[in-house]
Amino acid sequence: GWFAGRNLAISQVTTKYLLWVDDDFIFTSNTKVEKLMDILEKTTLDLVGGAVREKTGFVTTFRHQISVERGGEEGDCLHTRMGHYHALHGFPSCVVTDGVVNFFLARTDKVQRVGFDPRLTRVAHSEFFIDGLGILHVGSCDDVTVDHASKIKLPWSKADENEKTYKEFRYPKSSEANIQLKHGLFYSKNRFKCMVKN
């Protein structure tokens, strides 16, 4: 699975921090990685995300809170909702949260400790942060942005002849088997009997 590849990649990192980005992100003058590093140096956070800007102008941080409601012998309930807990003192535009978009700077040792479940593939970004509950202290800054070489087609743009082939490999559909595996792992690994998204 792709996440086994992520584990291999992070196992090779020898620096104090690692920067996680998608292959189709574009750095601009607003991609202030030095601000993210300053936050990690001056706070107890282990991972701090930025924001991703689409070519339409839409910007997302994918900030979400994750909590576990303790249940009985049958298992616990996972709750996720968009949002954050509080502002990060001393860093305007930054907050404390549990999960962020796929653009972040993190302490290498903490990311290696959490790791990525090798049985999962594309449908598992949030699972990294779920596995990091109690291990990762996470923040997010909406003024540190990276542009996305987006798959969004604007009405006036022309279609590239190789685009269809690229999309089949870059954005494969999640099979029912992959979704069932993900849900099975939620129960067997985390003992989640239910999941609630707000």
Side-chain angles (χ1 to χ4, degrees), residues 6 10 17-22 25 33 36 40 46-52 99-107 111 116 125 128-129 136 138-140 146:
R6 290 182 178 193
I10 63 172
Y17 303 118
L18 64 84
L19 181 66
W20 197 266
V21 294
D22 282 357
F25 287 170
V33 178
L36 303 180
L40 292 178
D46 302 307
L47 181 152
V48 61
V52 176
V100 297
V101 72
N102 221 17
F103 162 49
F104 57 79
L105 186 70
R107 298 181 193 281
V111 174
F116 297 92
H125 175 73
F128 169 74
F129 292 100
L136 292 175
V138 179
S140 173
V146 67

Side-chain angles (χ1 to χ4, degrees), residues 39-40 43-49 95-100 105-107 110 113-114 129 132-140:
I39 291 168
L40 292 178
T43 70
T44 60
L45 293 180
D46 302 307
L47 181 152
V48 61
V95 296
V96 174
T97 189
D98 290 320
V100 297
L105 186 70
R107 298 181 193 281
K110 288 296 186 102
R113 182 174 166 199
V114 174
F129 292 100
L133 282 176
I135 299 170
L136 292 175
H137 296 110
V138 179
S140 173

Side-chain angles (χ1 to χ4, degrees), residues 8-151:
L8 176 60
I10 63 172
S11 75
Q12 303 304 303
V13 178
T14 58
T15 55
K16 184 176 181 179
Y17 303 118
L18 64 84
L19 181 66
W20 197 266
V21 294
D22 282 357
D23 63 342
D24 55 356
F25 287 170
I26 300 167
F27 283 45
T28 70
S29 60
N30 293 321
T31 311
K32 302 172 189 148
V33 178
E34 64 276 8
K35 178 175 181 178
L36 303 180
M37 190 166 73
D38 191 40
I39 291 168
L40 292 178
E41 289 287 328
K42 294 178 178 175
T43 70
T44 60
L45 293 180
D46 302 307
L47 181 152
V48 61
V52 176
R53 183 182 164 277
E54 298 291 343
K55 63 183 172 184
T56 61
F58 175 75
V59 179
T60 185
T61 56
F62 194 61
R63 294 172 177 160
H64 54 279
Q65 296 173 302
I66 306 168
S67 61
V68 177
E69 179 185 344
R70 298 291 172 210
E73 291 181 16
E74 293 179 14
D76 301 329
C77 195
L78 175 71
H79 294 269
T80 60
R81 68 182 179 113
M82 300 307 285
H84 63 276
Y85 296 103
H86 56 82
L88 183 60
H89 180 72
F91 292 94
S93 304
C94 301
V95 296
V96 174
T97 189
D98 290 320
V100 297
V101 72
N102 221 17
F103 162 49
F104 57 79
L105 186 70
R107 298 181 193 281
T108 301
D109 61 334
K110 288 296 186 102
V111 174
Q112 290 170 337
R113 182 174 166 199
V114 174
F116 297 92
D117 193 314
R119 297 167 287 190
L120 297 172
T121 56
R122 291 185 50 82
V123 292
H125 175 73
S126 295
E127 285 68 14
F128 169 74
F129 292 100
I130 292 166
D131 289 346
L133 282 176
I135 299 170
L136 292 175
H137 296 110
V138 179
S140 173
C141 299
D142 59 16
D143 63 340
V144 179
T145 61
V146 67
D147 283 0
H148 186 203
S150 179
K151 61 187 176 283

